[in-house]
C-alpha cells in the first residue's frame, strides 16, 4: 500500500488470544485485515447463530445477506461451511471444530476481490492450523 509520500505505508500488527481464541489483525489507512480462530466447544453452533443473525438483520438488504463461499469450510456444514457478507467485509467459516472469522477490507477494492482475499487468507489459516 502506498502512503501519501509515495512510499509503502506500514501495516500495524496487533495480536491477542487465549487457549480457545486467537486473534491477529493488521491495519493501515484504508486497510483492515483480521483473523480470529475460535476453537472453543460448540463452534458449529456459533457459526450457525452468526449466519442466522446476519440473515435476520439484513432487512432484505443484499449487502447484508451472507453468501456461501466454496472451498473453505466443511462442505457438509450449513451454507457449505463458509459465508461472505459484503456489508461487513467479513468471512465466517467452520472446519472441524474451528470457527474462523476473517475481516478483510482494503479501500477501493471491489467486493469480489475483497471476498477472494478473505477466502485466500482463510484457506491459509486453516492450512497452518491443521
Amino acid at each position: 500500500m502506498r502512503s501519501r509520500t509515495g512510499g509503502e505505508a506500514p501495516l500495524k500488527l496487533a495480536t491477542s488470544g487465549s487457549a480457545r481464541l486467537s486473534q491477529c489483525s493488521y491495519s493501515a489507512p484504508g486497510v483492515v485485515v483480521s483473523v480470529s480462530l475460535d476453537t472453543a466447544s460448540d463452534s458449529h453452533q456459533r457459526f450457525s447463530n452468526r449466519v442466522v443473525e446476519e440473515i435476520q438483520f439484513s432487512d432484505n438488504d443484499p449487502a447484508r445477506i451472507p453468501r456461501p463461499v466454496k472451498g473453505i469450510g466443511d462442505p457438509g456444514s450449513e451454507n457449505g461451511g463458509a459465508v461472505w457478507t459484503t456489508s461487513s467485509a467479513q468471512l465466517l467459516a467452520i472446519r472441524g471444530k474451528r470457527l474462523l472469522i476473517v475481516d478483510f477490507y482494503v479501500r477501493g477494492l471491489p467486493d469480489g476481490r475483497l471476498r477472494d482475499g478473505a477466502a485466500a487468507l482463510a484457506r491459509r489459516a486453516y492450512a497452518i492450523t491443521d
Side-chain angles (χ1 to χ4, degrees):
M1 176 169 178
R2 295 266 173 214
S3 70
R4 291 184 187 147
T5 60
E8 293 293 320
L11 289 171
K12 294 180 183 175
L13 171 65
T15 61
S16 64
S18 65
R20 300 285 181 205
L21 179 64
S22 300
Q23 298 173 306
C24 178
S25 64
Y26 292 92
S27 63
V31 177
V32 176
V33 176
S34 69
V35 178
S36 299
L37 180 64
D38 177 348
T39 60
S41 62
D42 294 330
S43 56
H44 278 268
Q45 186 62 53
R46 280 192 303 289
F47 172 77
S48 180
N49 291 349
R50 296 275 305 257
V51 172
V52 168
E53 287 170 359
E54 286 287 337
I55 293 167
Q56 288 174 338
F57 294 115
S58 71
D59 291 326
N60 295 316
D61 176 358
R64 294 195 64 183
I65 297 172
R67 307 283 183 206
V69 180
K70 294 182 181 180
I72 300 167
D74 288 332
S77 294
E78 180 180 358
N79 291 294
V83 296
W84 170 257
T85 304
T86 299
S87 65
S88 59
Q90 186 175 79
L91 180 118
L92 301 173
I94 188 75
R95 186 183 288 183
K97 295 181 180 182
R98 297 167 295 151
L99 172 60
L100 194 63
I101 303 162
V102 178
D103 294 293
F104 197 93
Y105 176 78
V106 178
R107 184 176 36 233
L109 283 185
D111 181 62
R113 295 215 28 222
L114 294 172
R115 182 200 59 232
D116 292 348
L121 187 54
R123 285 184 194 98
R124 184 143 178 124
Y126 277 134
I128 62 174
T129 61
D130 278 340

